[in-house]
């Protein structure tokens, strides 16, 4: 039967405790993505190369399989053949891995002209975490309100809240003050992070202390920026996760609270876990198979379930770039951004 070929499609899914075993079967220098990563490969191999040993199918490595593993190692675990997020993954870990693998590539941008590579985004996020812990949030404060439009700054603050182990509550700024304050009380929010420019256009009297993120920027000294840069660009993933306490985060832990519009009564808070969001991210990626060559246009607000899942965490957890604009009805700017960024 030599010379007959079979086409096989299979997945290699490695969890932490199995990674060492899998690497033992590979030549030195080979590497698979970290835990909770999946490589889907489709290869053609001769029938005569198969054998059964203790329930395991052993296949002689083909050149394409070898190249795929090498690419996976080169991209820091992001395999260009077809990598996917699993529902068991936690959002902060996906963010850190993706930012490190795209640290020199443009990851996020907005209509104000602000841009950030993966490394720059992670550095700014780490700076924001330190500033919020030192100057704004108390140690026992779990929920944090946000009044920020879709933008680079809004994405950084959302990421900082999540990586610090807190729950982001993006408030619907199209609602009345009364309804927004109801959401604040229901989610036990003590601080609301907002943009000064945004509050000038949409002033609100809130039942919580409002902190403008622009006021925190001057407090970031050179030492904090340097340490954050080293963590984002030099520190290993596992070390950074340990320092942030992400090893204790479970898939069923609460990630965010998204409130309904309240059109049929008081708004209702949907409590979404890491598993809820990561499973939706995985489903979207399975449908579109997004890569680093893709660019997403983000015009939905982060208080919207699609905006929070598909336009915030999808590009941060996967390879595509995202460009934001705060007004989906601004056709001229939307078209300009599409042309400029290759959406």
């Amino acid at each position: 039967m030599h010379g007959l070929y079979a086409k096989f499609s299979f997945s290699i899914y490695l969890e932490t405790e199995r990674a060492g075993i899998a690497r033992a079967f590979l030549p030195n220098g080979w590497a698979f993505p970290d835990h909770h990563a999946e490589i889907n490969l489709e290869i053609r191999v001769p029938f005569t190369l198969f054998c059964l040993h203790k329930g395991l199918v052993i296949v002689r490595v083909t050149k394409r399989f070898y190249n795929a593993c090498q690419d996976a190692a080169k991209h820091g675990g992001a395999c260009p053949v077809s990598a996917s997020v699993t529902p068991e993954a936690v959002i902060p870990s996906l963010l850190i891995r993706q930012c490190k693998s795209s640290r020199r590539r443009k990851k996020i941008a907005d209509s104000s002209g602000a841009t950030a590579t993966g490394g720059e985004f992670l550095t700014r996020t780490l700076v924001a975490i330190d500033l919020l812990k030192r100057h704004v949030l108390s140690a026992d404060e779990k929920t944090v309100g946000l009044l920020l439009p879709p933008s680079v700054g809004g994405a950084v603050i959302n990421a900082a809240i999540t990586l610090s182990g807190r729950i982001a509550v993006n408030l619907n700024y199209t609602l009345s003050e009364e309804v927004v304050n109801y959401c604040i009380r229901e989610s036990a929010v003590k601080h609301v992070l907002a943009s000064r420019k945004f509050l000038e256009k949409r002033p609100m009297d809130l039942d919580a202390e409002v902190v403008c993120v622009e006021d925190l920027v001057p407090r970031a000294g050179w030492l904090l920026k340097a340490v954050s840069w080293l963590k984002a660009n030099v520190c290993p993933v596992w070390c950074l996760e340990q320092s942030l306490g992400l090893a204790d985060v479970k898939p069923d832990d609460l990630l965010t609270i998204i409130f309904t519009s309240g059109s049929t009564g008081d708004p209702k808070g949907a409590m979404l876990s890491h598993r809820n969001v990561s499973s939706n991210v995985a489903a979207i990626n399975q449908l579109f198979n997004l890569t680093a060559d893709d660019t997403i246009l983000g015009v939905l607000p982060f208080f919207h379930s699609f905006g929070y899942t598909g336009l915030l965490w999808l590009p941060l957890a996967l390879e595509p770039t995202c460009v934001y604009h705060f007004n989906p009805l601004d056709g001229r700017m939307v078209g300009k951004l599409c042309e400029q960024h290759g959406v």
Side-chain angles (χ1 to χ4, degrees), residues 246-262:
L246 300 181
D248 299 326
V249 178
K250 303 297 187 294
D252 290 324
D253 288 349
L254 187 59
L255 174 64
T256 187
I257 301 175
I258 295 181
F259 282 90
T260 61
S261 61

Side-chain angles (χ1 to χ4, degrees), residues 31-34 39 65-81 83 101:
F32 277 108
D34 289 317
I39 303 179
F65 186 85
Y66 174 88
N67 292 336
C69 293
Q70 291 294 330
D71 287 339
K74 186 187 304 181
H75 288 78
C79 180
V81 176
S101 66

Side-chain angles (χ1 to χ4, degrees), residues 77-219:
C79 180
V81 176
S82 179
S84 61
V85 176
T86 71
E88 299 301 317
V90 292
I91 290 297
S93 296
L94 296 174
L95 165 66
I96 292 174
R97 283 165 168 74
Q98 189 52 237
C99 284
K100 282 184 171 290
S101 66
S102 60
R103 61 182 178 271
R104 294 187 180 90
R105 177 173 59 82
K106 183 176 71 174
K107 188 64 182 166
I108 199 169
D110 63 31
S111 55
S112 71
T115 61
T117 63
E120 291 170 343
F121 182 87
L122 185 55
T123 301
R124 296 177 191 179
T125 300
L126 296 174
V127 170
I129 291 173
D130 189 274
L131 292 175
L132 291 174
K133 285 183 177 180
R134 288 174 181 268
H135 304 292
V136 180
L137 305 176
S138 59
D140 60 345
E141 195 167 348
K142 295 302 294 181
T143 55
V144 183
L146 294 93
L147 275 175
L148 296 168
S151 60
V152 172
V156 167
I157 297 300
N158 266 278
I161 296 300
T162 300
L163 263 66
S164 64
R166 293 178 169 84
I167 302 162
V169 183
N170 285 275
L171 300 168
N172 189 340
Y173 42 75
T174 66
L175 302 177
S176 65
E177 288 183 4
E178 180 183 0
V179 177
V180 172
N181 282 323
Y182 173 84
C183 297
I184 289 175
R185 291 191 300 270
E186 287 295 303
S187 54
V189 166
K190 297 178 181 178
H191 289 91
V192 174
L193 306 179
S195 166
R196 188 176 301 281
K197 291 182 178 180
F198 175 77
L199 291 177
E200 290 174 355
K201 296 181 179 180
R202 180 71 169 87
M204 303 184 78
D205 184 16
L206 302 178
D207 296 339
E209 183 179 349
V210 178
V211 178
C212 293
V213 293
E214 294 93 338
D215 298 338
L216 297 176
V217 175
R219 299 187 179 187

Side-chain angles (χ1 to χ4, degrees), residues 236-285:
V237 171
W238 66 267
C239 183
L240 184 54
E241 289 180 336
Q242 288 291 335
S243 67
L244 293 171
L246 300 181
D248 299 326
V249 178
K250 303 297 187 294
D252 290 324
D253 288 349
L254 187 59
L255 174 64
T256 187
I257 301 175
I258 295 181
F259 282 90
T260 61
S261 61
S263 57
T264 59
D266 292 332
K268 300 166 184 64
M271 304 173 70
L272 303 181
S273 67
H274 290 265
R275 190 194 303 273
N276 293 144
V277 175
S278 61
S279 61
N280 280 323
V281 169
I284 296 172
N285 189 49

Side-chain angles (χ1 to χ4, degrees), residues 79-83 98 105 107 285 288-296 318-321:
C79 180
V81 176
S82 179
Q98 189 52 237
R105 177 173 59 82
K107 188 64 182 166
N285 189 49
F288 293 105
N289 195 25
L290 298 168
T291 68
D293 296 326
D294 296 312
T295 301
I296 301 172
L318 297 176
E319 293 185 333
T321 302

Side-chain angles (χ1 to χ4, degrees), residues 106 295 297 323 331-343:
K106 183 176 71 174
T295 301
L297 180 66
V323 54
R332 184 186 298 273
M333 179 56 71
V334 168
K336 181 179 179 181
L337 291 173
C338 290
E339 181 181 11
Q340 181 180 352
H341 296 275
V343 176

